[in-house]
Amino acid sequence: MEDDAPVIYGLEFQARALTAQSAETDAIRFLVGTQSLKFDNQIHIIDFDDENNIINKTVLLHQAGEIWHIGTSPADKAVLTTCYNKTSDSRVVSCAAVWRMPSDWETGSHESPDDSAHNPQSLELLCHLDDSTHSNTACVLWEPMGDGKRVISLADNHALLWDLQESSTQAMVSSTATLEGKGQLKFTSGKWSPHHNCSQLTTANDTAIRGWDLRTMRVWSVRYNHSHDQLVLTASSDSRLILSNMVSISSEPFGHLVDDEELSEGEDNHHEGKSKEPLKDSVVSTYEEHEDSVYAAEWSSADPWLFASLSYDGRLVINRVPRALKYRILL
């Protein structure tokens, strides 16, 4: 059986912003944002009829500027965010905003891709996602599986968590994080993971990819393992310590070549006859022995598989990396 032929849709302008409509689970729908310096930019709502292999479109005006990134609310099909360029004081500034589609956008008549007689409606501005200290927003990420009230914007080397209030007409920054390192680092892209209670974020800056812990409580301590840097401890004010295995940021993505001397007696035959499967980014374990805010976590200098955590009430807890993970990393 031959594969189905691809379906192609052409836009009048250049474009680089694409997203699926997150809140739509019945229809196959994508949104595309255009980039034009001379004309008003547009958002094309693309509905794909997979039974008949037909594309229908609705076009909305985005007069604020060139669209560099587009995202959609997971809870409201009519709400979206865009990152766009505008000119201010003879210089180009990257901005971000939350918009609402016209009330009749979904019930209106669809047009064929070749129909040029169209009078597009404009988006309704709900609020801006900019402040005086953070500009040049690269992208806006909606909290997956959420109620559409939290987004993260990546601006220069800052990640800002916003709370959307009053039906998304107001936005307040609830917390921030800074990308630190040598040179002038800037975020270029990111993705909010829908797994692990939406507590993880992956960002890209130039050629590097980083993982972040986004638990709603404040994270007080982050520690990489000295010998196996994919093992990351995060301690926070929610009384929990989390051990993560972040293979994507490891300097040993294919594992560690171990000498027999590194294994203790009785461990040398553990791996015989077992095939090695690639590891994936994951939360290994959540430790809940503390009853107060966990302010510190440290790896042992003598044993790379042992770590300690300290909470504000004076409780010190010592734990070990699970033996199964230890073997998988070593062997």
Side-chain angles (χ1 to χ4, degrees), residues 149-160:
K149 294 183 179 180
R150 295 209 306 169
V151 296
I152 290 176
S153 64
L154 302 180
D156 287 332
N157 64 329
H158 301 284
L160 294 83

Side-chain angles (χ1 to χ4, degrees), residues 159-204:
L160 294 83
L161 177 61
W162 300 80
D163 290 329
L164 301 180
Q165 304 168 356
E166 303 295 331
S167 300
S168 300
T169 59
Q170 298 179 12
M172 302 291 293
V173 176
S174 61
S175 63
T176 63
T178 302
L179 177 64
E180 298 179 348
K182 296 181 180 179
Q184 296 181 345
L185 300 179
K186 290 185 178 182
F187 289 116
T188 56
S189 181
K191 188 66 177 179
W192 198 332
S193 172
H195 308 293
H196 308 299
N197 296 320
C198 300
S199 65
Q200 296 179 355
L201 172 72
T202 301
T203 61

Side-chain angles (χ1 to χ4, degrees), residues 245-261:
N245 184 29
M246 304 301 293
V247 182
S248 62
I249 62 174
S250 173
S251 59
E252 298 177 343
F254 301 104
H256 174 68
L257 298 179
V258 60
D259 296 329
D260 292 339
E261 296 178 356

